[in-house]
Amino acid sequence: MSTGSFRLGVDIGGTFTDVVLLGGDGSVRTAKVLSTPDDYARGVVAGAVALLAEHGVGPDEVADVVHASTVASNTILQGQGARTALVTTKGFRDVLELRRLRIPVLYDIQYEQPPPLVPRRRRYEVEERLGPRGELWRELDEESVRAAAHQIEGDDVEAVAIALLNAYADDEHERRVEEIVRAVLGDGVYVTRSSEILPEIREYERTSTTVVNAYVGPAIIRYLGSLVERLRDAGIEGRLDVMQSSGGTLSPETAARRPAHLIESGPAAGVMACAYLGRLTGRGRLISLDMGGTTAKAAIVEDGLPVRTSEYEVGAGINLSSKLVKGGGHPIKLPFIDVSEIGAGGGSIVSVDPLGSVAVGPVSAGSVPGPACYAVGGIEPTLTDALLVLGYLGARELGGGAIALDPAKAHEALERVVATPLRRSVEEAAHGVLQLAVATMTRAVKAVTTYRGRDPRDFTLCAFGGNGPLTGVEVARALGIGKVIVPPAPGVFSALGLLFSDTEHEVVRTVMLRGEEIDGERLDAVFAALEEEASAHLGGAGLTIDRYADVRFSGQAYELTVPVPAGRVDVPGLVRDFVAEHVRTYGHGTAEDPVDVVSIRAIARLERTAGHRYDPLAAIRTLPTQSGTRAAYFGPDAGWLETPTTNRAGLLDGELAGPLLVDEADSTCVVPPGCVVRLDEHGNIEVDTDG
């Protein structure tokens, strides 16, 4: 690799930590190491140092490190967040329990909502009241704030969330509460307020988001502190940025103040990589299917950009964005890439209940103890074991040598848990496990396509992650999708996406304009103020600002977010764009009905990728072609077939017909019978699923 400016992308998964090194000449080098849940920073730095040493790159040659972290999400999912207190307006102590009248299981009268992250005994009320437009109804009683702060001091809390009623309209009271709380508690307690995290209408969502921010704050500060220290000890002094859920990046300092922005950090990286690939190849409509060791994530890219949302729920065993399914987790109203994430990965444990029903996941074997075939302590069969038994995985190693595979242990686990109880052959059991996993993943894809008014048949499926290429064609066939692409280095593609993301900062303001109140000049003035604030936060050359408005029909409870072009606001055009999005999402809408503009947003982006190249095809051309055969099982109709194997370089000479197994260091692309596969001009594997 040529010397010069190098960039590192690091993505932590439940099983592996992926590291990508991008050279100034566009070359890409990758590494996979096992994740280290006791201290994720240890695995991050170990993988980075090993990759640099392998390719003769000095730590001082790394210009910057971009990192995606699962720490915030895992903290909530595992219930291991900070001991948190809430300070709120008198009379609104129980907002977290009153919630919204929505549950994810429509007719389950025994459904129990997840308990609030802050129990009632640690929720404190203060005397104050503002009206919905910021008008003063009752002065802040500072003595009630001091009394609450002293009670919190005696309750041994680690974090405090401050969320006063209507602070989105005027945050003077909330700022003063923060000052008093900090003065009483000192620097040892993490303090956050709603007007800094989410200055928007709706007290429940704003309070919940602020509480989540406080709940994960101490864990994020500890993790980022450890990461920065370990990187410096390794001699890597380049700038560190952290991926946020919206697909942009934050500095560690900003991430420490706004850790709730990191909840879907890892999945966002994969979608950004997919969006970059779409722009590079001229494919404007892509479905990203990122399947790793623990979960599978689906999202869509339209016109070269990922679809975003501001509605998300995390916790209670799910991470979910849906306008139709709500109430299963803790809501976070922040910018997110619209990702559907499910517990279906290579490490998903296969189980059979007493009635003979087979389930794949959501419990994962992770990296410890791992699938049975890893031979490091796991005894339960997983999807990876099934793929190995089917012959799709080579029987030697996984992750470029990080894991040695034991086919006998995979065979024994599937036979014991699935095949024998169901009186099936082991290969039939393994194929059934694969079909169940595929069915689960198709639901994830439908969640971001069919349930959003999009037809998946109009898209190309981009399959990546360690297990995406193994299952992508089957998922595409189940949904009627005609084409699948698999990018180079698919197992670490999310980490590569980190290096094609820009630094972002969003500013939002609730305006609540109804009907005739919607005035272009007024919107122009508010947008100008937001743009100035967003620009001041980032600054620098290459700054761009995108504008959005949250719009609804009058009388509706929730909004849709639509883009607002630069320049003077065209109100009739804004209404037309909203109606078109409403029709696409819900199937109906009319420009004759009055609308409300609830909030407006400005997102500043500072380009970080100018001048960086990405040229994986050059490296593919230098690879020697590897060919062979191995037996693979393609279902009861085709049975066992002696299947040709090759690597990506073996596709340089032209297209081939399935069945074919394309083996790579970090994954295998399975091309079933009846499909045709080729390599495009950018080194992507392209599969026609209908031949």
Side-chain angles (χ1 to χ4, degrees):
M1 299 176 68
S2 64
T3 59
S5 177
F6 293 87
R7 306 184 70 212
L8 272 173
V10 186
D11 179 32
I12 297 175
T15 305
F16 289 106
T17 293
D18 303 332
V19 188
V20 167
L21 181 66
L22 180 64
D25 59 354
S27 57
V28 177
R29 297 294 184 269
T30 67
K32 262 185 181 292
V33 297
L34 287 174
S35 297
T36 52
D38 60 309
D39 181 1
Y40 284 114
R42 180 165 56 85
V44 168
V45 175
V49 169
L51 184 60
L52 294 176
E54 180 183 354
H55 297 287
V57 177
D60 59 336
E61 295 182 79
V62 177
D64 63 337
V65 179
V66 190
H67 175 43
S69 168
T70 59
V71 174
S73 179
N74 288 344
T75 297
I76 299 175
L77 290 172
Q78 296 168 7
Q80 296 178 348
R83 183 179 172 88
T84 305
L86 170 66
V87 178
T88 189
T89 303
K90 184 176 181 180
F92 290 85
R93 180 184 185 185
D94 296 317
V95 159
L96 292 177
E97 283 174 308
L98 293 174
R99 300 165 62 91
R100 299 289 180 199
L101 295 178
R102 302 290 292 272
I103 60 173
V105 186
L106 187 58
Y107 298 110
D108 186 355
I109 61 175
Q110 295 181 322
Y111 175 76
E112 293 186 11
Q113 294 175 331
L117 297 177
V118 181
R120 196 172 194 271
R121 65 181 179 276
R122 292 205 301 271
R123 299 181 219 144
Y124 301 92
E125 297 179 331
V126 297
E127 299 275 0
E128 71 87 37
R129 193 67 180 267
L130 296 176
R133 296 186 180 275
E135 60 272 35
L136 179 62
W137 288 0
R138 182 168 186 173
E139 291 281 2
L140 174 66
D141 181 352
E142 295 191 359
E143 286 305 314
S144 70
V145 179
R146 292 188 182 91
H150 284 295
Q151 285 182 285
I152 293 171
E153 186 180 26
D155 205 13
D156 191 29
V157 302
E158 301 172 82
V160 177
I162 303 169
L164 303 184
L165 185 68
N166 296 330
Y168 69 88
D170 187 329
D171 66 350
E172 180 181 355
H173 285 183
E174 210 171 72
R175 287 177 178 274
R176 181 57 183 152
V177 171
E178 181 185 16
E179 291 175 1
I180 295 171
V181 168
R182 288 186 182 277
V184 172
L185 300 181
D187 296 332
V189 175
Y190 186 88
V191 180
T192 187
R193 56 181 167 82
S194 72
S195 55
E196 180 182 22
I197 303 303
L198 182 65
E200 285 191 56
I201 194 173
R202 294 195 180 93
E203 65 273 11
Y204 170 52
E205 286 81 359
R206 183 160 45 85
T207 302
S208 178
T209 302
T210 309
V211 166
V212 168
N213 199 73
Y215 187 75
V216 302
I220 289 295
I221 288 176
R222 287 192 297 269
Y223 170 69
L224 291 177
S226 173
L227 179 60
V228 170
E229 182 179 350
R230 287 180 181 273
L231 286 171
R232 298 298 175 259
D233 290 345
I236 301 175
E237 300 283 348
R239 169 176 172 156
L240 174 65
D241 280 323
V242 184
M243 172 65 73
Q244 56 181 317
S245 305
S246 65
T249 62
L250 298 170
S251 68
E253 295 77 19
T254 303
R257 296 197 309 273
R258 301 183 173 192
H261 285 261
L262 310 184
I263 295 295
E264 286 295 273
S265 174
V271 184
M272 294 305 295
C274 191
Y276 174 79
L277 185 65
R279 295 191 296 271
L280 183 69
T281 61
R283 295 180 173 96
R285 295 167 69 85
L286 290 171
I287 298 171
S288 74
L289 180 65
D290 177 4
M291 185 179 183
T294 305
T295 61
K297 286 83 67 176
I300 59 174
V301 173
E302 293 182 310
D303 300 324
L305 295 173
V307 172
R308 290 181 167 87
T309 182
S310 61
E311 298 180 37
Y312 206 78
E313 291 189 0
V314 64
I318 65 166
N319 283 14
L320 180 69
S321 166
S322 174
K323 300 181 191 315
L324 304 177
V325 181
K326 291 176 183 260
H330 308 289
I332 307 173
K333 200 172 189 304
L334 293 173
F336 280 77
I337 289 179
D338 195 350
V339 174
S340 173
E341 183 174 6
I342 57 173
S348 294
I349 293 174
V350 182
S351 60
V352 180
D353 70 14
L355 298 178
S357 296
V358 183
V360 182
V363 179
S364 174
S367 56
V368 180
C373 63
Y374 284 14
V376 292
I379 60 173
E380 299 300 321
T382 65
L383 178 59
T384 295
D385 294 301
L387 294 170
L388 182 58
V389 166
L390 292 171
Y392 297 168
L393 291 173
R396 292 170 298 182
E397 57 187 30
L398 195 66
I403 291 290
L405 300 180
D406 188 332
K409 288 188 179 296
H411 190 283
E412 185 279 329
L414 277 166
E415 184 175 41
R416 169 174 47 85
V417 174
V418 186
T420 298
L422 299 183
R423 299 179 183 178
R424 301 281 183 175
S425 66
V426 174
E427 59 265 27
E428 286 177 322
H431 191 259
V433 167
L434 171 61
Q435 295 306 307
L436 278 174
V438 167
T440 302
M441 286 183 284
T442 59
R443 290 198 296 271
V445 174
K446 287 180 179 179
V448 295
T449 54
T450 307
Y451 302 161
R452 302 290 193 274
R454 276 75 166 175
D455 188 338
R457 294 172 295 182
D458 297 334
F459 292 76
T460 296
L461 183 72
C462 180
F464 56 97
N467 294 288
L470 285 154
T471 58
V473 174
E474 290 293 338
V475 173
R477 282 180 157 180
L479 292 165
I481 298 172
K483 195 176 294 293
V484 175
I485 60 170
V486 178
V492 296
F493 191 56
S494 289
L496 181 66
L498 295 166
L499 303 179
F500 294 102
S501 299
D502 299 328
T503 302
E504 275 189 9
H505 182 73
E506 180 183 81
V507 182
V508 61
R509 184 167 300 169
T510 294
V511 292
M512 284 305 301
L513 301 178
R514 296 182 172 91
E516 295 181 356
E517 295 178 340
I518 304 174
D519 177 76
E521 292 186 3
R522 183 173 179 179
L523 288 175
D524 287 336
V526 181
F527 267 124
L530 293 187
E531 291 174 26
E532 182 179 356
E533 182 179 345
S535 300
H537 184 86
L538 290 183
L543 184 70
T544 61
I545 296 180
D546 295 325
R547 310 190 307 181
Y548 299 88
D550 297 342
V551 188
R552 68 188 182 192
F553 285 117
S554 296
Q556 285 185 319
Y558 291 93
E559 308 82 46
L560 291 174
T561 300
V562 293
V564 179
R568 296 181 62 85
V569 176
D570 175 13
V571 174
L574 174 62
V575 173
R576 286 194 301 270
D577 291 344
F578 161 70
V579 172
E581 182 60 31
H582 199 280
V583 170
R584 181 161 60 171
T585 301
Y586 298 114
H588 64 91
T590 172
E592 303 302 318
D593 291 340
V595 302
D596 302 337
V597 176
V598 178
S599 299
I600 61 174
R601 307 169 186 275
I603 302 177
R605 291 187 175 90
L606 188 61
E607 186 176 2
R608 299 290 310 282
T609 59
H612 291 282
R613 297 173 55 207
Y614 170 57
D615 185 19
L617 191 58
I620 295 170
R621 290 194 177 104
T622 67
L623 295 174
T625 300
Q626 297 175 353
S627 60
T629 63
R630 68 172 174 266
Y633 184 79
F634 290 97
D637 293 335
W640 286 98
L641 299 175
E642 195 62 26
T643 304
T645 65
T646 187
N647 60 352
R648 199 171 288 244
L651 300 175
L652 286 168
D653 294 333
E655 68 180 29
L656 298 172
L660 180 70
L661 300 171
V662 185
D663 289 329
E664 302 189 84
D666 54 2
S667 188
T668 293
C669 179
V670 177
V671 184
C675 296
V676 174
V677 61
R678 67 187 67 85
L679 210 63
D680 73 8
E681 66 272 21
H682 300 286
N684 303 296
I685 295 173
E686 187 177 279
V687 183
D688 292 335
T689 63
D690 55 5

